[in-house]
Amino acid sequence: MLIAANFKTNKTRCQTAAYYKEVSDFIAAKNINTEAMIFPPATALDSFEGKISVGAQNAYAVENGAYTGEIGLEQLDEFGIKTILIGHSERRHILGESQELIAEKFHYYKEKGFRIVYCIGEPLEVREESSAALMAYLDDQLEGIDLAYNKLIIAYEPVWAIGSGLTPTEGEVELIHTALRQKIKAPILYGGSVKTANAKELLSLNNVDGALIGSGALNAEDYCMILEIADSLK
Ligand code: PEP
């Protein structure tokens, strides 16, 4: 089981360090075996020492160069970061990243041996159309992605469930994860309004191997509680 927290554009360097310490102390005190992973903003990346994996929310497919506003491999190497989030719906839909660019990032960071948390998920209008349309949409988001990559982790996150407080029914989540499992052997996380109140139900579903959590994990205490719930399910 893997519980990943995506901080998005939240937390300073100082707040991230405090979060890391609080969660690390909790993991040690409670002997938690579930993997904890956090994605702080780029300004808060650092060489943390402890059991929490730290990943980048984004990086350009380049070692360094003239790409104003972007970070590349060199900035991640400085802190020994070997995990990256690629294809998050906010980067696809707000920042306008195309599938082509996303696949390019995937290949670059795969070549560099990164663990890649690769996000897919449909907007509401696609879900309302039909199950076939939904699965076809997810298939398109997997185009150009090596599903056999041994450091791949998939995060299924319906766009309409992200930050909205809404979630698909447990049956729907299980159905989609089970359909994805037919073609993907990698762990499949669920993401979209996971919080302390619904973590147990969602994490207990077949073919749900963990969660990617935004707002519900911003508070370190809540994140620790979800780690403990996940750990109790093993
Ligand atoms: C996310 O950003 O990946 C996410 C799942 O956000 P939230 O938990 O806030 O819905």
Side-chain angles (χ1 to χ4, degrees), residues 6 8 88 157 161-163 191-193 212-215:
N6 176 13
K8 310 192 186 192
H88 192 279
E157 306 199 295
I162 294 181
S193 295
L212 175 58
I213 314 174
S215 45

Side-chain angles (χ1 to χ4, degrees), residues 36-81:
M37 181 182 277
I38 62 169
F39 293 94
T43 53
L45 293 177
D46 213 335
S47 307
F48 294 102
E49 272 178 35
K51 288 197 173 162
I52 308 171
S53 311
V54 177
Q57 291 176 24
N58 175 51
Y60 207 55
V62 74
E63 185 173 349
N64 53 33
Y67 304 96
T68 302
E70 293 289 324
I71 59 168
L73 182 67
E74 188 174 85
Q75 287 74 36
L76 300 180
D77 276 351
E78 181 181 10
F79 302 120
I81 306 284

